[in-house]
Amino acid sequence: MTLADLIAQARTALDTAIATRQQEQDALVALRSDPNLTEDAVAARVATRDAADAEVTRRQEALAELEREQAREEEIAALSARTVPAATRAPAYDQVHRVGQDERTYRPDQDRRGAHFERDVAAAFLGDYDAQSRLARHMQEERVERGDQLQRAAGTGAFSGLVVPQYLTELYAPATSNGRPFADAIRNHPLPPQGMVVNISRVTTTSSVDMQSAENAAVTEQDMDDTLLPITVQTAAGQQTLSRQAVERGAGVESVVLSDLYRRYDANLDSKLLNQATNGLTNVATSVAYTDASPTTAELYPKVIEGLAGVEAALTDQASGENLAVMHSRRWYWMQNAMGSSYPLITQPGVVAQTLGANYAERYGNGVRGILPNGTPVIVDNNIATNLGAGTNEDEIYLVDRNECHLWEDPDAPMYIRAEQAKASSLGVLMVVYGYFAYTHARYAHARKIAGTGLVTPTFIGA
């Protein structure tokens, strides 16, 4: 393996470390937006971010050391190839290129296929000053040898095999992702360090209090009892095998793949919270039917109030009052599309009179998007299915108390494995992202969902 190959590997490792550090920073920012966060949780996430930061510094220093070594090797090679001229010789030796005496920057006998030249072109584009210097020296050598040819007015089209294409790697377009808006909005807990089941005790038989029938008579008594709520710890994982050629000869390939795996992990976890069989929100929520052949926002809104009334009735004194309405983006924009002359009879905090709620104009995945007329915050989440109902064209609106939707996550999730030996026989590099999580919306059976033909694919007609 050449020194140039080691430098390429070091650059790839630095890109990966930078991507990991950015992931940790994003997780820290998201955690700090949680009103229920603890100092210990913040300290743990800051420590993880700082560890990733230290890894970036280590990778950066390793790359700089290799680049200094390469520059010194090139300097020694140039010195060894020079012929010292006589003192009275003119013009000065360092003011003219002496082809045949000075060693060429890129020599066919040492790099027959031009790999070093191609690497320097890519590196120069990404800001490598040493590569830019070598390319500039190469162009000066070309002017000495073929200056007359370089002055001709031939365009790049005449040299399609010699003009190297440039890739704007910093502007690569990642695949879109639905992200995890709902997962970020609900109550988050650190996952216990051991075990594959999380158990919660629920009191299902209460004590009792009643009037004493007479003085010195026995007072009422009822033995309390609880029922265990077991919550399975699940494992979400994804992998990607890259060719070693892609890792070592590509520009930032590994960091691009890792970033995409992280995005798929987030979207998968959020989708499971909403749609997973048996325990997903759609399967534990009590349905509030909205059946309408010509649905309107004005007709839908009372169903929202009915659902919220059901949430509070199920929780009573355990209700936190921090309710959420979770809906697909198409439903949120359809509700904004509504026009009308009827307004709620009771004003609400934070809602301007004679409006049907408020839109906060936040971007997708950036927390609360707006509020409904009664002040309920709206979370927009495109992991909500849009193929429900008999016509496979309905979505649903979920109404929950955010503090009774629980998500346990490993503080370090998602974690990353990079394995070279497993695929060594085919020159492959295996990348695996995985994490453990558990969730429940059923500590109290409180969630409601609005479902029915009134939630078919919306038409935007302003009604």
Side-chain angles (χ1 to χ4, degrees):
M1 182 176 291
T2 66
L3 189 57
D5 293 333
L6 292 174
I7 290 175
Q9 284 188 349
R11 288 198 182 104
T12 299
L14 176 59
D15 291 340
T16 301
I18 291 171
T20 301
R21 192 266 181 198
Q22 186 59 50
Q23 182 78 13
E24 296 298 340
Q25 177 64 18
D26 293 344
L28 177 60
V29 171
L31 178 64
R32 284 173 170 160
S33 66
D34 186 345
N36 297 310
L37 67 95
T38 64
E39 292 184 2
D40 289 343
V42 172
R45 182 58 70 178
V46 168
T48 305
R49 191 277 314 276
D50 290 346
D53 215 8
E55 179 66 9
V56 170
T57 300
R58 189 176 71 83
R59 296 291 186 182
Q60 187 178 19
E61 292 173 350
L63 176 59
E65 177 63 28
L66 288 171
E67 289 176 338
R68 286 193 295 271
E69 184 178 341
Q70 182 186 48
R72 181 56 179 167
E73 288 299 314
E74 291 170 353
E75 182 181 358
I76 294 298
L79 288 172
S80 66
R82 286 181 181 172
T83 301
V84 180
T88 58
R89 199 169 184 172
Y93 180 78
D94 60 357
Q95 296 179 6
V96 63
H97 278 267
R98 302 181 180 277
V99 178
Q101 295 179 347
D102 285 354
E103 181 179 331
R104 289 297 302 264
T105 305
Y106 304 106
R107 291 174 51 184
D109 59 321
Q110 292 184 348
D111 184 20
R112 185 166 56 87
R113 297 186 178 183
H116 292 168
F117 169 74
E118 292 178 356
R119 275 198 296 269
D120 277 352
V121 170
F125 174 75
L126 295 173
D128 187 323
Y129 295 116
D130 290 337
Q132 293 171 3
S133 175
R134 287 191 295 274
L135 289 172
R137 188 164 64 248
H138 168 68
M139 287 306 300
Q140 183 60 35
E141 293 163 358
E142 287 295 296
R143 292 188 184 97
V144 172
E145 285 194 353
R146 293 192 292 275
D148 57 334
Q149 299 177 34
L150 293 178
Q151 295 300 320
R152 294 180 182 176
T156 58
F159 305 101
S160 58
L162 299 177
V163 178
V164 180
Q166 299 297 298
Y167 294 92
L168 304 182
T169 54
E170 76 278 10
L171 294 179
Y172 85 95
T176 60
S177 169
N178 290 333
R180 45 177 289 164
F182 179 60
D184 288 337
I186 62 178
R187 191 171 177 181
N188 201 286
H189 312 274
L191 188 69
Q194 294 179 325
M196 293 304 291
V197 176
V198 176
N199 289 314
I200 295 179
S201 172
R202 294 187 297 168
V203 175
T204 50
T205 301
T206 69
S207 61
S208 66
V209 173
D210 203 350
M211 305 303 296
Q212 188 180 23
S213 61
E215 294 182 18
N216 294 322
V219 299
T220 184
E221 180 182 10
Q222 179 174 286
D223 293 337
M224 292 180 61
D225 194 11
D226 75 337
T227 300
L228 202 61
L229 174 62
I231 305 166
T232 301
V233 176
Q234 303 184 66
T235 305
Q239 65 176 326
Q240 188 72 205
T241 302
L242 299 179
S243 70
R244 182 165 292 280
Q245 291 87 342
V247 173
E248 295 181 354
R249 299 180 63 80
V253 172
E254 190 169 357
S255 61
V256 168
V257 173
L258 182 61
S259 175
D260 189 72
L261 283 170
Y262 281 152
R263 291 157 67 85
R264 298 315 123 197
Y265 177 92
D266 287 344
N268 172 77
L269 183 147
D270 191 86
S271 179
K272 293 299 184 291
L273 297 180
L274 295 168
N275 306 310
Q276 191 171 34
T278 306
N279 296 317
L281 189 55
T282 185
N283 293 307
V284 300
T286 300
S287 184
V288 175
Y290 174 40
T291 303
D292 197 326
S294 301
T296 65
T297 300
E299 293 170 345
L300 169 64
Y301 181 63
K303 297 295 181 179
V304 174
I305 299 301
E306 179 183 346
L308 289 169
V311 170
E312 184 167 312
L315 293 172
T316 57
D317 69 330
Q318 294 303 307
S320 71
E322 296 184 41
N323 295 328
L324 293 176
V326 187
M327 64 184 70
H328 196 278
S329 63
R330 73 181 194 177
R331 193 59 52 195
W332 175 238
Y333 282 104
W334 177 71
M335 294 184 74
Q336 293 181 58
N337 156 81
M339 307 288 288
S341 58
S342 299
Y343 306 98
L345 297 178
I346 301 175
T347 60
Q348 305 291 338
V351 181
V352 179
Q354 297 186 332
T355 62
L356 294 175
N359 175 38
Y360 289 168
E362 293 284 355
R363 66 177 180 86
Y364 179 85
N366 200 34
V368 174
R369 295 290 294 276
I371 55 175
L372 296 178
N374 72 327
T376 299
V378 174
I379 297 295
V380 171
D381 193 328
N382 281 10
N383 285 304
I384 294 175
T386 58
N387 61 347
L388 305 174
T392 63
N393 62 346
E394 300 172 12
D395 54 73
E396 295 176 339
I397 297 175
Y398 303 108
L399 303 163
V400 298
D401 184 318
R402 66 170 296 273
N403 288 305
E404 285 306 326
C405 294
H406 299 268
L407 171 63
W408 289 264
E409 289 188 275
D410 190 310
D412 296 324
M415 288 164 279
Y416 169 47
I417 298 174
R418 186 183 190 275
E420 299 187 10
Q421 296 303 318
K423 299 288 183 178
S425 61
S426 57
L427 287 181
V429 177
L430 178 62
M431 301 172 63
V432 180
V433 165
Y434 73 99
Y436 305 117
F437 71 97
Y439 73 92
T440 184
H441 312 301
R443 193 175 80 126
Y444 293 99
H446 75 288
R448 297 295 188 270
K449 68 176 182 181
I450 303 173
T453 55
L455 294 173
V456 296
T457 304
T459 55
F460 296 86
I461 58 175

